[in-house]
Amino acid sequence: MRLAARATARHGLVHAYGHVSARIDERHFLCSPPQPLGTVETDDPGVVVPIDGELPERALPEVRIHREIYRRRPAVGGVCRFQSPAVMALSALGETPRVLHGLGSYFAPSPPLWPDVLLVRDDERAEQVAWRMGDAAAIVLRGNGAVTAGATIEEAAAFAFFLEDAARIELALLPARAAGIRPLEYTADQAARRAVRAGALIERMWHFLCSGDPEWQPAD
């Protein structure tokens, strides 16, 4: 959890706001402490949150989103809530990235968009966000960043980086679209074949995200 917290900050996916979490067991998950993720120290404890129950006092209100995702999706082991620049800019246009390059294939055909610009700080709206997200790897919150979910916290953090890169490509191609040039999108079959080989790519991305961190110990 601490590695993912610092990694998202180190790579510009969060600033003062954002939170990450990892499932502990069927009934609990561990969330980052209520502070900027880049300031999480190697001995800072997280906040243990019950999946069925009230939020603990130290949990941030939007941790409700994590709770609803874990509750609805037993296979999810990690969640990242972040506000990366390209995702934020694209969401302000009411859009989410399409599959225009390899890293975008994990979100095919495109991540769903939550249209409300207000922060999700109550149970009802957190439930609606999780419902709209469904089984997707990510959901974009208009004007408020995004949420990614993965089988592990490592995968969720990698998806956060992948989503930002996909949004960056989409924004870079806006002038071409304005000129009437249509970028080539992956077909559904191409996206599925590309995303199915996720294991080694996730491991390499996690290594990249955490390299240099004092707690990081790369696999042999």
Side-chain angles (χ1 to χ4, degrees):
M1 177 275 294
R2 292 190 294 261
L3 284 168
R6 292 190 295 270
T8 54
R10 187 182 307 115
H11 294 278
L13 301 176
V14 297
H15 33 70
Y17 315 108
H19 25 91
V20 300
S21 68
R23 188 189 289 272
I24 299 173
D25 54 36
E26 293 181 357
R27 300 185 178 216
H28 304 86
F29 61 95
L30 179 68
C31 194
S32 53
Q35 64 193 69
L37 294 183
T39 69
V40 174
E41 301 288 346
T42 57
D43 58 352
D44 281 342
V47 182
V48 176
V49 181
I51 290 175
D52 295 303
E54 296 298 321
L55 290 184
E57 184 176 341
R58 292 181 64 231
L60 294 166
E62 279 204 321
V63 170
R64 288 176 170 85
I65 300 174
H66 300 240
R67 186 177 62 184
E68 292 303 325
I69 292 171
Y70 287 124
R71 184 179 289 165
R72 292 167 178 267
R73 298 171 61 178
V76 167
V79 174
C80 292
R81 169 76 174 95
F82 57 99
Q83 297 90 7
S84 54
V87 169
M88 293 275 281
L90 193 61
S91 76
L93 294 173
E95 296 186 14
T96 65
R98 285 160 284 194
V99 188
L100 302 177
H101 77 324
L103 298 184
S105 61
Y106 299 94
F107 313 104
S110 63
L113 176 70
W114 174 252
D116 195 338
V117 298
L118 298 178
L119 293 175
V120 181
R121 291 180 165 176
D122 61 82
D123 291 343
E124 181 179 358
R125 293 166 76 246
E127 291 173 6
Q128 292 171 355
V129 168
W131 178 84
R132 184 175 288 244
M133 185 180 188
D135 292 329
I139 184 168
V140 175
L141 311 179
R142 186 171 182 178
N144 276 316
V147 180
T148 54
T152 63
I153 193 170
E154 294 91 338
E155 186 171 85
F159 284 161
F161 187 94
F162 292 172
L163 184 64
E164 173 65 4
D165 204 56
R168 178 186 62 82
I169 295 292
E170 190 83 53
L171 287 175
L173 292 173
L174 285 180
R177 289 187 185 277
I181 302 170
R182 182 179 177 183
L184 294 176
E185 297 183 32
Y186 279 42
T187 66
D189 181 62
Q190 287 172 333
R193 284 191 285 115
R194 174 63 170 70
V196 77
R197 301 181 300 178
L201 290 173
I202 296 299
E203 182 179 347
R204 288 178 64 185
M205 178 53 64
W206 179 246
H207 192 150
F208 165 73
L209 292 173
C210 295
S211 291
D213 191 284
E215 285 192 281
W216 170 241
Q217 295 183 0
D220 295 333

